[in-house]
């Protein structure tokens, strides 16, 4: 079972568990100090141009692919309902408003994003086989090149969240809030590449860190169900990425759009009146 399937099943389990507990244990008349939420959704990314720095000491190689273009692979825009729900670019949020009155929360924020460097003219600058080079290569599979973070560039952030109540209807069955988020955390990429015909052993690894900020609008229905749309900026810096007989470094910025469906409910002690 792959990591995406495990995460999705965990999402379903905890959603059912906490939602059931909430219905049984809470009353609308009981105001709680805290609020738990969980969401699952999908995302779309655009990346800045970037440089991949490769170091292969045993081969006499120390070079860079300069100013390359990367793109994502959403998956949900192709055939979402014919594939496992965890295959496309997905995201989840697990959060707790530790102070509902002030709108302050902490959140685990994970985005399964994909970065693909392929099918372009790429400048190679540095040392190859102990010889200085500055040339252009056709970076594509038939020519012996591919560079995929395709099973995940995988941004994990530990966020601080602030919520502002925006508008609600008279019966308070629909509430619209604005949220701001900021955090830092590790990246957990799945690294798969072939450089000059030499392939690495593909797999997951801890590969550096990222920081991000996010602005979101959340519409909550009947106190428990919400839809959230957000825009996010992230900067990820990867290091020690596995390549054949060596490692690579890579850093890039990301603009991301995220749409999610979630559940939320009060927890904790009662508010003193």
């Amino acid at each position: 079972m792959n990591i995406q399937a495990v995460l999705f099943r965990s999402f379903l389990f905890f959603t059912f568990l906490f939602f059931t507990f909430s219905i049984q244990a809470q009353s609308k008349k009981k105001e709680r100090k805290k609020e738990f939420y969980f969401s699952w959704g999908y995302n779309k990314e655009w990346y800045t141009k970037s440089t991949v720095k490769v170091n292969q000491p045993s081969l006499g190689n120390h070079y860079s692919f300069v100013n390359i273009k990367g793109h994502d692979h959403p998956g949900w825009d192709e055939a979402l309902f014919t594939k496992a729900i965890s295959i496309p670019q997905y995201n989840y949020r697990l959060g707790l408003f530790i102070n509902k009155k002030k709108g302050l929360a902490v959140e685990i924020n994970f985005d399964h994003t994909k970065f693909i460097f392929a099918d372009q003219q790429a400048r190679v600058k540095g040392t190859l086989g102990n010889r200085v080079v500055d040339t252009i290569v056709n970076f594509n599979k038939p020519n012996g090149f591919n560079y995929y973070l395709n099973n995940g560039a995988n941004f994990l952030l530990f966020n601080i969240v602030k919520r502002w109540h925006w508008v609600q209807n008279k019966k308070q069955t629909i509430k619209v809030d604005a949220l701001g988020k900021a955090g830092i955390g590790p990246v957990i990429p799945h690294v798969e590449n072939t450089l000059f015909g030499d392939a690495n052993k593909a797999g997951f690894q801890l590969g550096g860190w990222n920081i991000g900020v996010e602005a979101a609008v959340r519409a909550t229905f009947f106190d428990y169900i919400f839809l959230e749309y957000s825009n996010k900026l992230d900067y990820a810096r990867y290091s020690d990425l596995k390549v054949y007989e060596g490692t690579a470094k890579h850093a890039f910025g990301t603009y991301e759009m995220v749409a999610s469906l979630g559940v939320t409910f009060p927890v904790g002690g009662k508010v003193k009146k």
Side-chain angles (χ1 to χ4, degrees), residues 46-259:
W46 293 266
Y47 301 113
T48 60
K49 289 186 177 181
S50 56
T51 295
V52 179
K53 300 179 180 179
V54 179
N55 186 29
Q56 298 165 304
S58 65
L59 303 179
N61 294 346
H62 187 74
Y63 62 89
S64 298
F65 294 100
V66 181
N67 206 30
I68 62 98
K69 298 177 182 178
H71 64 84
D72 69 342
H73 184 195
W76 46 258
D77 60 342
E78 297 170 353
L80 178 59
F81 297 107
T82 63
K83 299 180 180 180
I85 197 169
S86 60
I87 287 178
Q89 292 179 167
Y90 68 85
N91 46 268
Y92 68 80
R93 310 286 186 255
L94 174 66
L96 178 68
F97 279 94
I98 54 179
N99 190 319
K100 285 176 60 179
K101 186 175 181 180
K102 293 183 178 180
L104 296 176
V106 292
E107 177 186 84
I108 297 173
N109 181 304
F110 181 79
D111 297 329
H112 175 60
T113 55
K114 301 182 180 185
F115 184 100
I116 298 173
F117 165 29
D119 301 322
Q120 60 191 273
Q121 298 287 303
R123 183 184 177 189
V124 182
K125 185 177 181 180
T127 303
L128 275 173
N130 295 312
R131 294 183 180 181
V132 176
V133 298
D134 189 347
T135 189
I136 302 295
V137 298
N138 292 317
F139 199 97
N140 54 49
K141 265 195 166 183
N143 203 33
F145 294 97
N146 69 271
Y147 178 94
Y148 301 149
L149 304 179
N150 193 43
N151 208 359
N154 294 338
F155 307 148
L156 176 62
L157 293 174
F158 299 98
N159 280 347
I160 299 296
V161 180
K162 170 63 178 175
R163 177 173 63 187
W164 296 271
H165 292 303
W166 194 358
V167 65
Q168 62 187 22
N169 64 355
K170 290 183 179 181
K171 294 183 179 181
Q172 298 187 16
T173 55
I174 302 176
K175 302 175 184 178
V176 180
D177 300 323
L179 296 94
K181 308 178 183 184
I184 188 170
V187 285
I188 314 167
H190 183 276
V191 184
E192 179 183 352
N193 53 69
T194 303
L195 305 176
F196 294 98
D198 295 320
N200 77 327
K201 184 177 180 181
F204 289 97
Q205 63 174 95
L206 283 173
W209 55 270
N210 72 133
I211 57 175
V213 293
E214 187 172 342
V217 176
R218 178 183 294 184
T220 304
F221 304 92
F222 302 100
D223 294 326
Y224 293 107
I225 305 297
F226 68 85
L227 292 172
E228 183 172 298
Y229 169 75
S230 64
N231 285 260
K232 180 175 179 177
L233 295 175
D234 188 274
Y235 175 76
R237 194 168 187 88
Y238 297 85
S239 57
D240 295 322
L241 299 180
K242 295 177 182 178
V243 302
Y244 178 78
E245 291 293 319
T247 60
K249 295 180 180 180
H250 189 197
F252 54 82
T254 304
Y255 167 61
E256 184 177 354
M257 293 194 302
V258 181

